[in-house]
Amino acid sequence: MFHRNRQGVLRAMFAVAMVVMCGRAVNAATQDAGKPAVAPAPMPTAIQTAKRVFLGNAGVDSMSISTFRRSGDINQPYNWFYLAVKNWGRYELVGSPADADLVFEISFAAPLVGTEKLLTAAPYLRLEILDAKTHFLLWTIVEPVEGAFRKTTWDNNFNAGVTNIVSDLKNITGETHIASK
């Protein structure tokens, strides 16, 4: 009877996996080599030149409203985002859309994703940037928020999501590039 020890089988499987991964990496690199480089499209100038911003609270979805109620802050996405933008100091926050150059609408959702047999929540923060004068949607930023069972972990994960939204906002305003020059 043919018998292999467990280590030998694992080594063989690892070797095959490495060969396959290396082959895929070489294949991907050679396919991308023939494609022309695509220059980034221009950003809406209103995002980069705006001085005054009105923050709107677009709320939370029905899947997560009870969670925010239990935590005691149904407006947590708005409150935390407001504080982050205020601390950033890039924009003057105004109390009316009529006084603003841009409107930032922050919202939170946790849709169920998966298959018939296994559904899980996929929470995320969504920031929509609108031109205050035309009400035209200029840009949307979506950042996932890692789920958690403990409140402390949730607060850390939620804070990371807000931090990532503001970081993405800094990138599209060009502030990140200015700071690195």
Side-chain angles (χ1 to χ4, degrees), residues 38-178:
V38 177
M43 294 298 303
T45 56
I47 293 174
Q48 297 174 332
T49 61
K51 303 283 187 237
R52 295 168 305 178
V53 169
F54 174 79
L55 297 184
N57 183 1
V60 298
D61 70 346
S62 62
M63 294 295 295
S64 47
I65 196 163
S66 61
T67 303
F68 285 108
R69 270 199 187 116
R70 279 194 305 273
S71 75
D73 188 3
I74 197 164
N75 296 314
Q76 182 179 352
Y78 174 78
N79 291 334
W80 288 33
F81 180 68
Y82 183 94
L83 183 62
V85 172
K86 184 176 179 182
N87 288 340
W88 176 19
R90 163 105 167 48
Y91 297 107
E92 175 189 348
L93 300 177
V94 296
S96 168
D99 299 330
D101 301 316
L102 296 176
V103 173
F104 290 171
E105 284 189 357
I106 189 76
S107 64
F108 180 88
L112 293 176
V113 296
T115 64
E116 292 176 13
K117 297 183 182 196
L118 179 64
L119 289 175
T120 185
Y124 64 87
L125 285 162
R126 179 184 180 100
L127 176 65
E128 291 188 344
I129 303 172
L130 298 105
D131 183 289
K133 308 297 183 257
T134 65
H135 309 284
F136 192 82
L137 178 63
L138 300 175
W139 207 262
T140 301
I141 301 171
V142 176
E143 276 294 334
V145 176
E146 192 90 20
F149 292 108
R150 295 179 33 204
K151 181 167 179 13
T152 305
T153 306
W154 170 251
D155 287 345
N156 289 338
N157 294 348
F158 195 85
N159 187 52
V162 171
T163 300
N164 290 339
I165 283 269
V166 173
S167 178
D168 293 343
L169 189 55
K170 287 178 181 180
N171 283 334
I172 65 170
T173 61
E175 184 160 310
T176 302
H177 303 295
I178 293 168

